[in-house]
Every structure is written in structure tokens, then in C-alpha cells.
Amino acid sequence: MAGEPGEGRTFGLGAVVAAVAVAMSIYHLVTGYPGIGPPRQEIHYPAHLAFALAVLFGDDAVAALAARRYLRVAWDGALVLVLVGACAYLMLSAEYIASRFTYVEPLLLVEWVLGIGILVVVLEAARRTVGWVLIWLTLAFIVYALIGDRLPEPFYHQGFPLDRIIEQSYLTVDGIWNAPVAVAANFIFLFVLFGSLLLASGAGTFFTDLARALTGRTVGGPAKTAVVASAFFGMLSGSAAANVVTTGSFTIPAMKK
């Protein structure tokens, strides 16, 4: 009985995270409709990232709360607050962001704070999903941009001040809001969503079972099953990411075994 209040808090937080995930799906379905389309990029890309990372950190917070790791829950909550603040600033200031003179107008204090904050949030999200290698590589390039004017040839360059790095990363489409985020917001998420719906409906299992029936008894059967199942599903989804999420959840473990 002593654990019931904690279980209730975990369930409540989990429900909030699920609601955010549903809201993200509805947002992308609406903005992906041809008659509506997404809003301008200064709004669309931050909204996509805010939804995605809020689900990521929220899901981790649910697990941490269940394990009574309250400092981790507080850290996840702080990351979500910074994330929402940084993305909301861009969305509410879309006209100003689109019309400002890049690299000419100085950064406002709020842009300094939120720019540094969202860089920390994105790096922490990358650490949790990819690992430390990408973090160290990113930090190495940031340091190289800062101290390049003090390096010998052939590594010398003119150097970039910290405000230039923050401005390019946060307020332009050459930093965080570049092609990968654009493709994910406009295309990949919808493919993954539809693939997940097909998987939940049993269609993904059908393609995998059909491929296993055709190739399962041959030499290298699991690998052939993966190829055939991916081909079947790819004819419907047209997305490599959706293929990995759906058929890969079955075929990759099978090949490992």
C-alpha cells in the first residue's frame, strides 16, 4: 500500500507523456494534409523538435519516477522547460526571426540564454539516443570553431566567436533547424507514424510472417526474411525509417539470434 501514491504519480506523468505523443501525431497529420500544409519553418521545425524531445525526456522521467530517482526526474523536467522555452520563443517571434539581419544584429540576452540552453538539450538528447561518441565529436567541432584562429596550419581558420556559433545554431536554418530536422518534420515522422499504425493493426506481422514462410527454411533464412519483409513493407511505406521501425523490430532480433 505504501507504493500506491508513487504509482499514481507515475501513471499521471505517463498519461501526460502519452497525451503529448498523441498531440504530436495529430499535429503532423493535420499539417501533412495537402489542403492545409505545415506553417512557416520558424514555427514548424521548433514545434516538431519540442514535441519529439518532450516525449523522449518525459518517457525517461516516467522510468526515473518509477525507480524513485527524483534528481533524474528534476533534471528531465528542467530540460523540458528549457526546450519548451527555446522553441516557444522562436514560434512566437517567427516574424522577427525571419526578418532580422543575420550576423549583423547582436543577440538579445534571451537569445543567448535560450540558444545555449537548447544546445545543451539537443546534446543531452543525442547522448541518450546515440551515445557519447557523437557528443564528443560535436564538442570537438565547437571548440575547433572557437579556437581555430590560434591553431597552426593546416588547421588554422579565422575563428568564430561564441555569439556567432549560438546565432547560427539557434536562429538560422544552418544549425539545429537544418535539412535533417526539416525532412523529419515534413516526411519521416508521417512514414514512421503510418508504419507504427500498420504494425499495431497486425499488417506488419503479416508481411513478416509471409516472408518467413517463403524463406525461413532456407540457408540464411533470417537475413532473407528481412530482405523480403522489407521489400513488401517498403512497397507500402516508401520510407527506410518506417521500415526499420516496423519490420526491423522483428527481423533484426531474428538475425542476431
Side-chain angles (χ1 to χ4, degrees):
M1 297 296 292
E4 289 184 357
E7 292 176 0
R9 289 193 296 269
T10 302
F11 176 79
L13 182 58
V16 171
V17 175
V20 174
V22 171
M24 181 180 185
S25 301
I26 294 174
Y27 169 79
H28 281 83
L29 287 173
V30 172
T31 58
Y33 188 74
I36 300 176
R40 61 191 305 167
Q41 63 184 16
E42 290 84 6
I43 297 176
H44 186 46
Y45 300 162
H48 169 76
L49 188 71
F51 274 127
L53 296 192
V55 172
L56 171 66
F57 294 129
D59 192 52
D60 285 352
V62 171
L65 185 60
R68 301 180 183 274
R69 299 171 60 189
Y70 300 117
L71 288 179
R72 179 62 177 267
V73 175
W75 172 238
D76 288 331
L79 291 172
V80 171
L81 289 177
V82 173
L83 168 72
V84 172
C87 293
Y89 175 79
L90 294 179
M91 297 167 66
L92 297 174
S93 308
E95 290 288 344
Y96 161 71
I97 299 299
S99 60
R100 71 185 298 274
F101 289 99
T102 307
Y103 310 133
V104 175
E105 296 185 28
L107 292 178
L108 303 175
L109 178 59
V110 65
E111 294 168 349
W112 267 94
V113 175
L114 295 178
I116 294 175
I118 198 168
L119 285 176
V120 173
V121 170
V122 170
L123 288 175
E124 173 64 9
R127 183 191 69 82
R128 297 189 187 188
T129 55
V130 180
W132 279 103
V133 175
L134 181 60
I135 306 304
W136 293 122
L137 184 63
T138 303
L139 292 177
F141 276 109
I142 292 176
V143 172
Y144 177 61
L146 288 171
I147 67 172
D149 57 338
R150 297 191 290 274
L151 296 177
E153 294 289 352
F155 305 105
Y156 171 84
H157 62 80
Q158 65 180 0
F160 296 92
L162 182 58
D163 60 342
R164 171 71 177 270
I165 296 174
I166 294 174
E167 182 175 7
Q168 182 164 333
S169 300
Y170 180 48
L171 299 179
T172 76
V173 294
D174 297 321
I176 295 174
W177 322 110
N178 58 6
V181 170
V183 173
N186 292 325
F187 304 108
I188 292 180
F189 180 82
L190 288 172
F191 280 121
V192 172
L193 176 61
F194 289 136
S196 299
L197 291 175
L198 280 174
L199 183 65
S201 68
T205 306
F206 167 76
F207 290 127
T208 305
D209 290 343
L210 178 60
R212 187 180 294 114
L214 294 174
T215 62
R217 296 186 179 182
T218 62
V219 177
K224 294 176 182 177
T225 299
V227 172
V228 175
S230 296
F232 281 147
F233 196 84
M235 288 188 289
L236 291 178
S237 69
S239 169
N243 235 328
V244 173
V245 172
T246 53
T247 61
S249 61
F250 296 96
T251 57
I252 292 174
M255 286 187 288
K256 286 183 177 179
K257 290 181 180 179

